[in-house]
């Protein structure tokens, strides 16, 4: 085995891929693994098995959805059962009712829901709903928050948009760009000034920022957003595509005790199959077609396979100790990493919450996107590469999060820690 998880089979596939796909991939962050991505043959639990015959401990987990690990037996069983009953009907199926009821039961601010197919679609729709509900045009988002790959979201976006230096994408009409106001995360005075000056339909925020590495809301930031949006009659939209069902069954809103007007969901609620959703107060969701005049439709909306996988996933979250196991894994991994870095005298910041963390080198605090961009991402990348060589896959980009799952038991974590010791000693 040579470079990272890669070898000759991955290299050959990569050569083919470069002829077929822009930059060799179908989603940019995948090309951040150098010199080329490893190709995966199969997965199970906390592990990916590459076509080159290597086993990797996976802390990327599909960039968040696989909170039970790969191929949880119950989810697999439910997906297979649904496959055998058909996977697209073009008319409603009972499983969409079951999943909706579960989400609404757990998510404090949700009364009604619309299922779509990705987080991108969910935030695009939530913003349209905010404009439809208020009759206003502008939205406010935060520098480095990532809400998916649509025109409104790709203004000062984090995640791969930052990694590949296109925080604001080419191809976005100026007329749309001009409807997006930007504030720094954790800066309430900017939010207040903007709400006072402009007619803002909605403020969209990642309640915990997971697309600039991990950045936590400062005390009272979310509460301040709630109060300010209320007093300026603007909607508060929590983008819980990452945090929904990860910070707990009630998401970030339950964790912090703040109820938004609308919530966007994705990732975990589809159990690893494509999904997105907008949930919120009934009077707002009812503005959607066919009951209202804010249009949304989708051939694959509420497709039975994603519904079955999502329902099975939430059932497991309700009855197994996934939250404890995943949190313990993150705690043990990140605490050991901190000790090792301190011992070496390396300056760093490590942000952590529940089953998510990220480390930033060369900086003493990271509370917003500007500070995150000052971190030494070369050292982070070097750590990623060395970890990969040792059999541990953490995100290749500084602007993603290291996730744990219910499959990251103590034996998996102990192996991770052994690799980390070696990597940091040689860093
Ligand atoms: N919102 C957030 C907070 C996200 O992290 C992401 C994806 N990482 C999205 C929206 C977009 O979701 P999708 O990739 O499913 O379109």
């Amino acid at each position: 085995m040579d470079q990272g998880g890669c070898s000759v089979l991955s290299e050959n596939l990569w050569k083919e891929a470069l002829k077929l796909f822009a930059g060799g991939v179908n989603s940019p962050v995948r090309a951040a693994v150098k010199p080329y991505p490893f190709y995966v043959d199969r997965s199970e639990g906390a592990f990916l098995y590459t076509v080159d015959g290597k086993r990797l401990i996976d802390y990327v987990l599909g960039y968040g959805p696989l909170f039970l690990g790969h191929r949880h037996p119950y989810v697999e069983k439910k997906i297979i059962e649904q496959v055998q009953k058909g996977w697209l009907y073009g008319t409603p199926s009972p499983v969409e009712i079951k999943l909706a009821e579960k989400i609404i039961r757990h998510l404090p601010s949700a009364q009604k829901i619309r299922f779509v197919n990705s987080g991108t679609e969910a935030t695009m729709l939530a913003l349209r709903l905010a404009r439809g509900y208020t009759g206003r045009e502008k939205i406010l988002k935060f520098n480095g928050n990532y809400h998916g790959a649509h025109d409104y979201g790709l203004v000062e976006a984090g995640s791969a948009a930052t990694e590949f230096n296109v925080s604001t994408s080419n191809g976005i009409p100026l007329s749309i760009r001009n409807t997006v106001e930007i504030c720094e995360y954790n800066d309430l005075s900017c939010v207040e000034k903007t709400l006072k000056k402009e007619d803002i339909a909605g403020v969209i925020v990642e309640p915990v920022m997971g697309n600039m590495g991990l950045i936590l809301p400062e005390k009272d930031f979310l509460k301040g957003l709630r109060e300010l949006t209320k007093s300026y009659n603007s909607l508060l939209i929590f983008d819980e595509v990452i945090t929904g069902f990860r910070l707990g069954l009630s998401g970030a809103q339950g964790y912090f005790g703040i109820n938004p007007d609308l919530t966007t969901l994705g990732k975990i609620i589809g159990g690893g199959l494509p999904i997105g959703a907008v949930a919120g107060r009934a009077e707002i969701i009812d503005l959607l077609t066919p009951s209202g005049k804010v249009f949304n439709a989708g051939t694959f909306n509420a497709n039975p396979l994603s519904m079955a996988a999502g329902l099975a996933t939430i059932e497991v979250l309700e009855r197994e100790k996934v939250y404890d196991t995943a949190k313990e894994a993150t705690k043990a991994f990140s605490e050991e990493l901190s000790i090792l870095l301190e011992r070496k005298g390396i300056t760093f910041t490590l942000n952590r919450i529940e089953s998510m963390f990220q480390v930033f080198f060369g900086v003493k605090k990271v509370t917003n996107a500007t500070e995150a961009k000052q971190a030494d991402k070369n050292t982070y990348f070097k750590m990623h590469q060395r970890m990969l060589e040792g059999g541990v896959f953490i995100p290749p980009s500084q602007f993603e999060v290291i996730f744990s799952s219910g499959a990251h038991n103590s034996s998996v974590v102990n192996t991770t820690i052994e690799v980390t010791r070696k990597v940091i000693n040689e860093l």
Side-chain angles (χ1 to χ4, degrees), residues 118-120 123 146-148 206 211 239 241-242 267:
S118 65
T120 296
T123 62
Y146 181 75
H147 303 296
E206 288 184 69
N211 282 294
D239 183 353
V241 167
I242 288 179
K267 299 199 192 252

Side-chain angles (χ1 to χ4, degrees), residues 43-105:
S43 61
E44 187 167 3
F47 303 108
L48 293 169
Y49 297 86
T50 74
V51 294
D52 308 296
K54 187 163 184 178
R55 189 186 82 168
L56 301 170
I57 302 177
D58 186 10
Y59 285 93
V60 175
L61 295 163
Y63 290 92
L66 297 167
F67 192 32
L68 308 181
H70 295 270
R71 292 182 52 213
H72 187 286
Y74 182 72
V75 180
E76 181 169 293
K77 176 171 162 268
K78 290 293 177 181
I79 291 174
I80 291 169
E81 278 174 20
Q82 186 59 54
V83 165
Q84 290 170 338
K85 297 203 296 182
W87 49 87
L88 190 63
Y89 307 136
T91 192
S93 65
V95 64
E96 72 194 48
I97 306 273
K98 287 193 187 147
L99 180 59
E101 281 175 348
K102 272 228 184 292
I103 293 172
I104 288 167
R105 190 175 323 134

Side-chain angles (χ1 to χ4, degrees), residues 107-228:
L107 206 64
S109 69
Q111 293 175 338
K112 278 193 166 180
I113 190 164
R114 166 67 56 97
F115 287 116
V116 291
N117 299 292
S118 65
T120 296
E121 287 179 45
T123 62
M124 189 170 69
L125 183 57
L127 294 172
R128 186 179 302 142
L129 266 174
R131 292 190 297 266
Y133 180 77
T134 59
R136 301 173 179 177
E137 284 225 328
K138 288 195 164 183
I139 60 153
L140 192 162
K141 82 173 276 292
F142 293 92
N143 183 18
N145 275 201
Y146 181 75
H147 303 296
H150 56 75
D151 288 352
Y152 295 88
L154 290 178
V155 180
E156 300 299 346
S159 193
T162 295
E163 176 68 26
F164 292 95
N165 292 317
V166 283
S167 301
T168 301
S169 173
N170 283 359
I172 296 174
L174 194 61
S175 55
I176 287 183
R177 168 72 190 82
N178 288 340
T179 66
V180 183
E181 296 287 328
I182 301 289
C183 282
E184 204 68 87
Y185 197 69
N186 280 320
D187 183 356
L188 278 178
S189 68
C190 173
V191 175
E192 179 156 30
K193 237 184 274 167
T194 309
L195 287 173
K196 199 181 265 179
K197 199 165 117 236
E198 309 280 353
D199 277 338
I200 300 289
V203 175
I204 186 164
V205 65
E206 288 184 69
V208 167
M209 198 166 162
N211 282 294
M212 214 56 205
L214 182 72
I215 301 178
L216 302 179
E218 285 174 349
K219 194 175 171 302
D220 293 340
F221 176 59
L222 298 174
K223 188 162 159 260
L225 289 183
R226 179 63 286 179
E227 285 163 3
L228 284 170

